[in-house]
């Protein structure tokens, strides 16, 4: 492997991590807004459904984190 391809690999990993971090921050901010009820004040547009979807996403996120943690605990054995 050449040095140029190693640097390109590092840069691409850094860019991917940065993009994922930004996406996760935006999703977390939206979920926070849903938890605070910021989007549920428009019954004409059925915005209460957005709160329900947000809560489902929060539950799924917790479930995924739990599954990943369980797999990591089993790897120690």
């Amino acid at each position: 492997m050449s040095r140029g391809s190693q640097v390109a690999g590092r840069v691409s990993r850094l860019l991917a991590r940065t993009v994922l971090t930004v996406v996760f921050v935006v999703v977390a901010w939206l979920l926070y807004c849903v938890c605070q009820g910021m989007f549920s004040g428009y019954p004409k547009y059925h915005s209460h459904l957005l709160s329900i979807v947000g809560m489902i996403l929060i539950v799924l996120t917790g479930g995924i984190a739990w599954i990943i943690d369980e797999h990591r605990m089993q790897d120690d054995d």
Side-chain angles (χ1 to χ4, degrees):
M1 231 196 219
S2 70
R3 182 151 170 84
S5 63
Q6 289 177 350
V7 171
R10 277 193 220 142
V11 169
S12 67
R13 282 193 303 271
L14 179 65
L15 183 63
R17 287 181 186 172
T18 303
V19 168
L20 279 174
T21 301
V22 169
V23 167
F24 287 143
V25 166
V26 168
V27 169
W29 176 74
L30 286 173
L31 291 177
Y32 171 77
C33 290
V34 167
C35 287
Q36 294 300 316
M38 291 181 182
F39 301 122
S40 61
Y42 304 99
K44 179 180 175 183
Y45 301 109
H46 305 289
S47 61
H48 64 283
L49 296 175
L50 186 58
S51 293
I52 293 169
V53 169
M55 289 299 169
I56 290 170
L57 287 174
I58 291 169
V59 169
L60 288 175
T61 303
I64 290 169
W66 178 75
I67 290 169
I68 290 171
D69 187 52
E70 286 295 314
H71 284 295
R72 213 176 5 187
M73 296 279 267
Q74 291 174 358
D75 289 342
D76 289 343
D77 293 337

PDB file of all heavy atoms in Angstrom, residues 22 30 42 45 50 60-61 63 74 77:
ATOM      1  N   VAL A  22     -22.690  14.606  12.448  1.00  0.00           N
ATOM      2  CA  VAL A  22     -23.623  15.689  12.140  1.00  0.00           C
ATOM      3  C   VAL A  22     -25.040  15.135  11.982  1.00  0.00           C
ATOM      4  O   VAL A  22     -26.006  15.709  12.501  1.00  0.00           O
ATOM      5  CB  VAL A  22     -23.171  16.458  10.876  1.00  0.00           C
ATOM      6  CG1 VAL A  22     -24.254  17.391  10.388  1.00  0.00           C
ATOM      7  CG2 VAL A  22     -21.885  17.222  11.147  1.00  0.00           C
ATOM      8  N   LEU A  30     -33.932  16.776  16.630  1.00  0.00           N
ATOM      9  CA  LEU A  30     -35.329  16.591  16.245  1.00  0.00           C
ATOM     10  C   LEU A  30     -36.088  15.747  17.266  1.00  0.00           C
ATOM     11  O   LEU A  30     -37.230  16.042  17.599  1.00  0.00           O
ATOM     12  CB  LEU A  30     -35.411  15.957  14.862  1.00  0.00           C
ATOM     13  CG  LEU A  30     -35.075  16.875  13.701  1.00  0.00           C
ATOM     14  CD1 LEU A  30     -35.019  16.088  12.400  1.00  0.00           C
ATOM     15  CD2 LEU A  30     -36.071  18.003  13.588  1.00  0.00           C
ATOM     16  N   TYR A  42     -50.440  21.232  16.106  1.00  0.00           N
ATOM     17  CA  TYR A  42     -51.182  21.500  14.879  1.00  0.00           C
ATOM     18  C   TYR A  42     -52.102  20.323  14.549  1.00  0.00           C
ATOM     19  O   TYR A  42     -51.815  19.515  13.672  1.00  0.00           O
ATOM     20  CB  TYR A  42     -50.207  21.742  13.717  1.00  0.00           C
ATOM     21  CG  TYR A  42     -49.218  22.845  13.994  1.00  0.00           C
ATOM     22  CD1 TYR A  42     -47.931  22.551  14.428  1.00  0.00           C
ATOM     23  CD2 TYR A  42     -49.580  24.168  13.845  1.00  0.00           C
ATOM     24  CE1 TYR A  42     -47.025  23.556  14.698  1.00  0.00           C
ATOM     25  CE2 TYR A  42     -48.687  25.189  14.105  1.00  0.00           C
ATOM     26  CZ  TYR A  42     -47.408  24.881  14.539  1.00  0.00           C
ATOM     27  OH  TYR A  42     -46.521  25.879  14.807  1.00  0.00           O
ATOM     28  N   TYR A  45     -53.134  19.331  10.911  1.00  0.00           N
ATOM     29  CA  TYR A  45     -52.164  18.637  10.063  1.00  0.00           C
ATOM     30  C   TYR A  45     -51.717  17.306  10.654  1.00  0.00           C
ATOM     31  O   TYR A  45     -50.745  16.720  10.200  1.00  0.00           O
ATOM     32  CB  TYR A  45     -50.943  19.527   9.817  1.00  0.00           C
ATOM     33  CG  TYR A  45     -51.325  20.826   9.160  1.00  0.00           C
ATOM     34  CD1 TYR A  45     -51.279  22.016   9.870  1.00  0.00           C
ATOM     35  CD2 TYR A  45     -51.751  20.857   7.846  1.00  0.00           C
ATOM     36  CE1 TYR A  45     -51.652  23.207   9.280  1.00  0.00           C
ATOM     37  CE2 TYR A  45     -52.130  22.049   7.245  1.00  0.00           C
ATOM     38  CZ  TYR A  45     -52.076  23.227   7.971  1.00  0.00           C
ATOM     39  OH  TYR A  45     -52.448  24.404   7.387  1.00  0.00           O
ATOM     40  N   LEU A  50     -46.299  12.872  14.431  1.00  0.00           N
ATOM     41  CA  LEU A  50     -44.847  13.077  14.456  1.00  0.00           C
ATOM     42  C   LEU A  50     -44.287  12.776  15.841  1.00  0.00           C
ATOM     43  O   LEU A  50     -43.213  12.193  15.968  1.00  0.00           O
ATOM     44  CB  LEU A  50     -44.506  14.501  14.031  1.00  0.00           C
ATOM     45  CG  LEU A  50     -43.037  14.830  13.864  1.00  0.00           C
ATOM     46  CD1 LEU A  50     -42.398  13.919  12.842  1.00  0.00           C
ATOM     47  CD2 LEU A  50     -42.875  16.272  13.451  1.00  0.00           C
ATOM     48  N   LEU A  60     -36.543   2.538  19.593  1.00  0.00           N
ATOM     49  CA  LEU A  60     -35.695   1.720  18.728  1.00  0.00           C
ATOM     50  C   LEU A  60     -34.211   2.010  18.957  1.00  0.00           C
ATOM     51  O   LEU A  60     -33.391   1.094  18.966  1.00  0.00           O
ATOM     52  CB  LEU A  60     -36.054   1.948  17.263  1.00  0.00           C
ATOM     53  CG  LEU A  60     -37.388   1.356  16.813  1.00  0.00           C
ATOM     54  CD1 LEU A  60     -37.686   1.756  15.367  1.00  0.00           C
ATOM     55  CD2 LEU A  60     -37.373  -0.147  16.957  1.00  0.00           C
ATOM     56  N   THR A  61     -33.878   3.272  19.147  1.00  0.00           N
ATOM     57  CA  THR A  61     -32.485   3.641  19.410  1.00  0.00           C
ATOM     58  C   THR A  61     -31.997   2.989  20.700  1.00  0.00           C
ATOM     59  O   THR A  61     -30.892   2.445  20.757  1.00  0.00           O
ATOM     60  CB  THR A  61     -32.335   5.166  19.491  1.00  0.00           C
ATOM     61  OG1 THR A  61     -32.805   5.739  18.274  1.00  0.00           O
ATOM     62  CG2 THR A  61     -30.898   5.567  19.729  1.00  0.00           C
ATOM     63  N   GLY A  63     -33.190   0.280  22.049  1.00  0.00           N
ATOM     64  CA  GLY A  63     -33.104  -1.163  21.810  1.00  0.00           C
ATOM     65  C   GLY A  63     -31.852  -1.545  21.055  1.00  0.00           C
ATOM     66  O   GLY A  63     -31.200  -2.540  21.381  1.00  0.00           O
ATOM     67  N   GLN A  74     -20.869 -10.327  25.593  1.00  0.00           N
ATOM     68  CA  GLN A  74     -20.645 -11.737  25.291  1.00  0.00           C
ATOM     69  C   GLN A  74     -19.279 -11.951  24.661  1.00  0.00           C
ATOM     70  O   GLN A  74     -18.719 -13.041  24.761  1.00  0.00           O
ATOM     71  CB  GLN A  74     -21.751 -12.258  24.384  1.00  0.00           C
ATOM     72  CG  GLN A  74     -23.083 -12.331  25.079  1.00  0.00           C
ATOM     73  CD  GLN A  74     -24.215 -12.721  24.142  1.00  0.00           C
ATOM     74  OE1 GLN A  74     -23.996 -12.906  22.957  1.00  0.00           O
ATOM     75  NE2 GLN A  74     -25.421 -12.793  24.669  1.00  0.00           N
ATOM     76  N   ASP A  77     -16.400 -12.986  27.084  1.00  0.00           N
ATOM     77  CA  ASP A  77     -16.329 -14.358  27.637  1.00  0.00           C
ATOM     78  C   ASP A  77     -15.388 -15.229  26.907  1.00  0.00           C
ATOM     79  O   ASP A  77     -14.879 -15.286  25.971  1.00  0.00           O
ATOM     80  CB  ASP A  77     -17.715 -15.009  27.636  1.00  0.00           C
ATOM     81  CG  ASP A  77     -18.651 -14.298  28.608  1.00  0.00           C
ATOM     82  OD1 ASP A  77     -18.137 -13.650  29.535  1.00  0.00           O
ATOM     83  OD2 ASP A  77     -19.863 -14.393  28.421  1.00  0.00           O
TER      84      ASP A  77
END
